[in-house]
Amino acid sequence: MTPRSSLPPSPPPVELRAWPDRNALLADRAQVLDVLVKGHLGAGRLGLLWLWAALFALGWSMVGTALTSLTDVLTAIVGGVFLLLGLGVMIPTGIAVGFGLRKDRRIRELLRQWGELDRDPILDRNLRKPGLSLAWLVPSVLLCAGGLAVCLVLPATAAPGRDTYALVVYGMGLGLICWLTGLVGVVKAAAHRRWVQRSLTRLILRVPAPCN
């Protein structure tokens, strides 16, 4: 994950602002907002989210292997090894995801602060990124639906004597990972859309038309 310190700073307080004119302010604002939007909805961030989800699912698969292999002493030992390996993958991955969510929250706060600093109807149109928002939203909704379906259908269709509790828990865990991953994507796309409506679209509509 990109370190939080690499993010642009907040706008300086009013009494400390030293832009020579409004054009300089708008230029800095446009540059910072472009960096923040790319850091929030960039294609690399989407790929990174799916990578973390895949790693977490891999770790959970190892844990599931451990849960479903407890039949005798030998398989219990092998299962214990898989359990340790799975936890070794899941714990750092979960920490990385937590840092990523914290960074997203900071980016949204910076977007709000810089967006409310001023308005620039022309350059702000480039920050809406409707195609990129859809690229996050559509697969995330599908992933949410698929994960939720697994979590609901699997325990409802499990047959006693054929499907063990460990197998059901393992399958529901994978479904929950898919659902949470999709939920993160939906929240990011919705948050960007809400920011556009509150900080960009509303400001653009308030700009008076130029006089002839």
Side-chain angles (χ1 to χ4, degrees):
M1 292 259 177
T2 305
R4 183 178 175 181
S5 59
S6 65
L7 294 176
S10 299
V14 177
E15 62 274 10
L16 298 180
R17 293 174 186 173
W19 283 288
D21 52 40
R22 183 169 180 266
N23 289 334
L25 184 151
L26 291 177
D28 285 348
R29 174 182 175 274
Q31 183 178 6
V32 171
L33 289 180
D34 184 64
V35 171
L36 291 173
V37 170
K38 289 179 179 178
H40 192 238
L41 286 184
R45 291 301 302 276
L46 179 59
L48 194 59
L49 174 64
W50 286 55
L51 175 61
W52 291 134
L55 287 175
F56 202 86
L58 175 63
W60 178 249
S61 297
M62 294 179 183
V63 173
T65 300
L67 293 176
T68 56
S69 62
L70 301 178
T71 57
D72 52 44
V73 176
L74 180 60
T75 56
I77 294 175
V78 175
V81 173
F82 274 98
L83 178 63
L84 292 176
L85 290 174
L87 293 177
V89 174
M90 292 174 63
I91 292 175
T93 301
I95 293 174
V97 171
F99 278 115
L101 295 177
R102 182 182 178 186
K103 178 183 176 181
D104 287 338
R105 185 166 60 249
R106 175 59 179 166
I107 288 178
R108 288 194 291 270
E109 177 63 20
L110 289 172
L111 283 170
R112 183 191 64 79
Q113 294 174 358
W114 282 93
E116 294 176 353
L117 191 61
D118 205 325
R119 64 193 71 176
D120 190 335
I122 297 177
L123 294 180
D124 285 352
R125 289 190 177 94
N126 298 326
L127 300 172
R128 296 184 183 184
K129 307 290 185 184
L132 200 54
S133 295
L134 284 177
W136 275 84
L137 183 62
V138 174
S140 297
V141 169
L142 295 177
L143 199 60
C144 271
L148 185 60
V150 170
C151 290
L152 294 177
V153 172
L154 187 60
T157 58
R162 185 192 66 184
D163 301 313
T164 63
Y165 287 108
L167 184 61
V168 173
V169 170
Y170 166 64
M172 291 183 64
L174 289 179
L176 183 61
I177 292 171
C178 293
W179 182 76
L180 290 175
T181 304
L183 183 62
V184 171
V186 170
V187 169
K188 284 170 70 77
H192 179 74
R193 178 60 180 171
R194 185 167 59 250
W195 173 73
V196 169
Q197 292 177 335
R198 291 181 178 179
S199 299
L200 299 184
T201 305
R202 184 174 56 184
L203 293 178
I204 290 173
L205 291 176
R206 290 180 179 178
V207 175
C211 299
N212 295 327

